[in-house]
Amino acid sequence: MSEQIDDHGSKYFEKMLNIIDVGVHLIDNKGITIFYNDKMAETDGFKREQVVGKNFFDLFPSLTNETSTFIKVLQTGIEIREKIQTYVSVTGKRITTINSTYPLLEQGEIIGALEVAKDITSIVHLHDQILDLRHQIYESPSKDKKNASSARYHFSDLIGKSESFLHTVSFAKKASRTSSPVLLSGPTGTGKELFAQSIHNAGARRNRLFIAQNCAAVPNELMEGIMFGTARGAFTGAIDRAGLFEQASGGTLFLDELNSLDLFLQAKLLRVLQDGMIRRVGGTQEQQVDVRIITAMNIDPKEALEKGLLRSDLFYRLNVVNLYLPPLVQRKEDIPLLTYHFIDKFNHIFGMKITGITPAALNSLMNYHWPGNIRELSHAIESTYNMMELESEIIEENHLPAYLMGNYIPTTTPNRLAAPWNDELATISAGRLTDKMRQMEKETITDALENHQYNITLTAQALGIKRQALQYKLSRYGIMKKP
């Protein structure tokens, strides 16, 4: 009975290994494949029966004792975790995986090795395409690089009137006059890259490249080559390619989510900041670069230091200019300005003619806590447009996303005055204002009808709205098409 259970267990275990979305490859101490699951076969471009029982090197001739994680583990008995490996199968397929490889021991003797692999070939291919495009720009004649900056935003694009916001803008403008490192901190969605671009465009480097790289978007094993470039032969498939520092030389390099960067790469970044020298991965020659560094983090730098996510020596080198971008909840008086900015933006995108927002709807925006900050406000207004009729002209409270209705922050607390924006809204009666606007709209439509002898097409043209929108308004206000 126990043998039957073991047999069933082995079959279920094998079935499970063939279902999971990672490759599993098991070899003995002679390099012969014992097990090879379906995902691994899909990644390598083989059928399972082509691999099981075959020697590892016969299937992957591009790998050597030095480059194969399998062989290193068999030789040393030490596991290797999350190692990026690029190889070419016997079929000619070029593959990049992140591997974790473990020795299999029996009574202290290495009897084999197990490798778990995640296929990242497509991700690497996309990054290679991006790097190639950047490399083409870098290699282009200097006359073609004039005004080549990819920074679209200027200080005039930054919207706000709150004291904390204007204080940050003022310091950023001063920082733009030099090439000192700038460290931007603040919650996600507060506009850190907009500030970085504005600093670049206001400075002497405005006509050179501005390159942005999110450190959290790339595996650390790939990030070194992206930042510092690669030399031919550094690893399988490596070619001579300039990294971000070479490409941005003379311009600005913006590194977002710096706290996600591996500590080893932080040490290399510190060296570049100190002496301006870089060396490509696998290369032997160093070269000078002239790059302004702007970095950003979405957590408090103090927290990043305490958690060991940021080297203290790098922090002190980057913290020459420290700009904190306050969350939207701390600059609520800017919400009306930002709201009307997004109304103008989405009017153009959606082809609509929204002219404003009711006090009740605006008050809902003012009272929400905005964990996603300005980015979330933009998405909320975009969502609102999707809920409105094409002929709508005013954003009303029922148009707003439902989640905004249930997350209020009290505008008054005991022994505390009401927030200043409520003083402005308190002078307006939302009901009276809405009624007045509708009455004015009704009278305008009625006058236009009379002036055009109740011709619907001519009246709609005169009012600047579509015929269907006019029909809707006639029905809404109970206006007879002809007396």
Side-chain angles (χ1 to χ4, degrees):
M1 178 65 73
S2 60
E3 291 180 358
Q4 280 185 317
I5 293 174
D6 288 342
D7 186 50
H8 283 301
S10 298
K11 289 180 179 178
Y12 285 129
F13 185 63
E14 182 175 341
K15 184 176 181 180
M16 181 187 71
L17 291 178
N18 281 318
I19 292 175
I20 60 176
D21 194 37
V22 292
V24 179
H25 193 168
L26 174 64
I27 63 172
D28 64 17
N29 57 6
K30 296 179 181 179
I32 303 300
T33 297
I34 305 300
F35 179 80
Y36 189 76
N37 77 341
D38 290 340
K39 183 61 181 180
M40 198 75 253
E42 177 187 330
T43 298
D44 292 339
F46 287 121
K47 293 181 179 179
R48 292 178 65 194
E49 55 268 25
Q50 293 178 289
V51 179
V52 176
K54 302 292 175 58
N55 184 277
F56 177 72
F57 279 124
D58 291 341
L59 299 166
F60 306 102
S62 66
L63 292 174
T64 66
N65 289 340
E66 291 72 32
T67 60
S68 169
T69 51
F70 255 146
I71 300 304
K72 284 183 180 179
V73 166
L74 286 177
Q75 290 175 341
T76 65
I78 301 173
E79 66 182 42
I80 299 174
R81 289 179 177 270
E82 297 186 351
K83 173 74 174 179
I84 288 188
Q85 184 171 251
T86 300
Y87 56 94
V88 179
S89 71
V90 73
T91 63
K93 184 179 180 181
R94 185 169 180 265
I95 305 146
T96 302
T97 56
I98 298 180
N99 300 340
S100 290
T101 313
Y102 308 91
L104 299 177
L105 304 174
E106 187 175 276
Q107 297 180 349
E109 181 182 350
I110 300 173
I111 62 170
L114 172 69
E115 188 160 270
V116 179
K118 182 69 176 177
D119 183 15
I120 60 168
T121 304
S122 59
I123 297 174
V124 172
H125 179 64
L126 287 173
H127 276 288
D128 284 347
Q129 288 181 319
I130 294 170
L131 290 175
D132 285 340
L133 288 171
R134 285 177 174 169
H135 188 68
Q136 289 172 24
I137 296 172
Y138 168 73
E139 293 291 344
S140 65
S142 59
K143 62 183 177 65
D144 294 332
K145 292 183 182 179
K146 189 176 181 180
N147 299 322
S149 174
S150 61
R152 298 184 292 115
Y153 294 100
H154 300 73
F155 283 117
S156 58
D157 296 311
L158 303 179
I159 298 168
K161 64 177 183 180
S162 63
E163 184 178 351
S164 59
F165 175 78
L166 294 178
H167 181 76
T168 303
V169 171
S170 175
F171 273 103
K173 287 180 177 179
K174 293 175 183 176
S176 67
R177 300 180 305 207
T178 72
S179 290
S180 297
V182 176
L183 174 61
L184 299 167
S185 60
T188 183
T190 50
K192 293 185 284 294
E193 184 166 352
L194 271 67
F195 267 83
Q197 291 189 21
S198 299
I199 291 169
H200 171 82
N201 280 329
R205 298 171 183 262
R206 67 179 67 89
N207 291 328
R208 303 306 296 267
L209 280 176
F210 173 93
I211 296 179
Q213 178 64 56
N214 188 316
C215 298
V218 182
N220 283 313
E221 293 83 358
L222 294 179
M223 194 65 181
E224 184 178 8
I226 289 175
M227 288 180 66
F228 303 108
T230 56
R232 186 179 299 277
F235 52 83
T236 304
I239 61 174
D240 286 317
R241 180 188 282 130
L244 297 179
F245 278 95
E246 288 180 69
Q247 294 167 21
S249 191
T252 302
L253 177 59
F254 173 56
L255 298 175
D256 198 5
E257 298 197 50
L258 180 70
N259 48 289
S260 298
L261 192 65
D262 183 82
L263 294 177
F264 166 73
L265 293 181
Q266 289 186 27
K268 297 195 71 171
L269 174 59
L270 176 63
R271 182 171 180 271
V272 176
L273 290 169
Q274 289 173 337
D275 58 24
M277 302 296 292
I278 64 106
R279 182 168 60 193
R280 294 183 180 183
V281 176
T284 57
Q285 295 183 338
E286 292 191 333
Q287 56 184 304
Q288 188 83 32
V289 291
D290 172 27
V291 179
R292 180 177 198 173
I293 297 293
I294 301 179
T295 54
M297 293 191 291
N298 55 17
I299 64 172
D300 189 316
K302 183 179 178 181
E303 181 184 349
L305 288 168
E306 290 175 348
K307 291 183 176 180
L309 301 174
L310 182 67
R311 291 175 60 106
S312 58
D313 49 4
L314 178 62
F315 169 72
Y316 296 128
R317 187 67 184 85
L318 291 172
N319 199 40
V320 177
V321 179
N322 188 337
L323 299 177
Y324 174 71
L325 277 61
L328 194 53
V329 73
Q330 293 179 9
R331 43 179 292 215
K332 289 224 168 180
E333 58 265 49
D334 292 340
I335 289 178
L337 291 174
L338 291 164
T339 298
Y340 277 92
H341 164 73
F342 291 129
I343 286 174
D344 289 340
K345 172 185 175 180
F346 292 116
N347 271 344
H348 176 72
I349 293 174
F350 285 86
M352 295 172 68
K353 295 182 179 180
I354 304 302
T355 58
I357 181 170
T358 66
L362 182 58
N363 197 43
S364 294
L365 297 182
M366 302 295 279
N367 287 321
Y368 182 65
H369 63 289
W370 299 112
N373 296 292
I374 300 172
R375 184 182 295 121
E376 186 183 7
L377 175 60
S378 173
H379 293 164
I381 300 301
E382 181 178 3
S383 174
T384 297
Y385 270 69
N386 281 278
M387 295 297 104
M388 300 175 73
E389 301 291 340
L390 286 175
E391 62 274 4
S392 297
E393 295 179 1
I394 300 291
I395 295 176
E396 298 182 9
E397 196 171 18
N398 64 292
H399 295 140
L400 298 176
Y403 69 88
L404 294 178
M405 301 299 103
N407 297 279
Y408 291 107
I409 289 180
T411 56
T412 58
T413 55
N415 302 317
R416 188 174 179 183
L417 294 176
W421 57 84
N422 277 350
D423 293 338
E424 300 175 16
L425 294 177
T427 62
I428 303 171
S429 168
R432 291 205 314 271
L433 179 60
T434 303
D435 291 343
K436 185 67 174 175
M437 290 173 63
R438 288 175 177 171
Q439 181 62 33
M440 290 175 62
E441 183 178 51
K442 181 177 179 180
E443 291 174 359
T444 301
I445 293 172
T446 302
D447 290 344
L449 278 169
E450 291 176 353
N451 292 335
H452 294 88
Q453 290 76 47
Y454 289 84
N455 184 301
I456 301 299
T457 301
L458 294 177
T459 302
Q461 290 174 353
L463 292 170
I465 61 177
K466 294 181 179 179
R467 180 185 172 92
Q468 295 90 331
L470 178 57
Q471 295 277 18
Y472 169 81
K473 292 180 183 295
L474 292 176
S475 174
R476 179 183 184 185
Y477 294 125
I479 301 174
M480 301 295 293
K481 295 180 182 179
K482 200 164 186 177

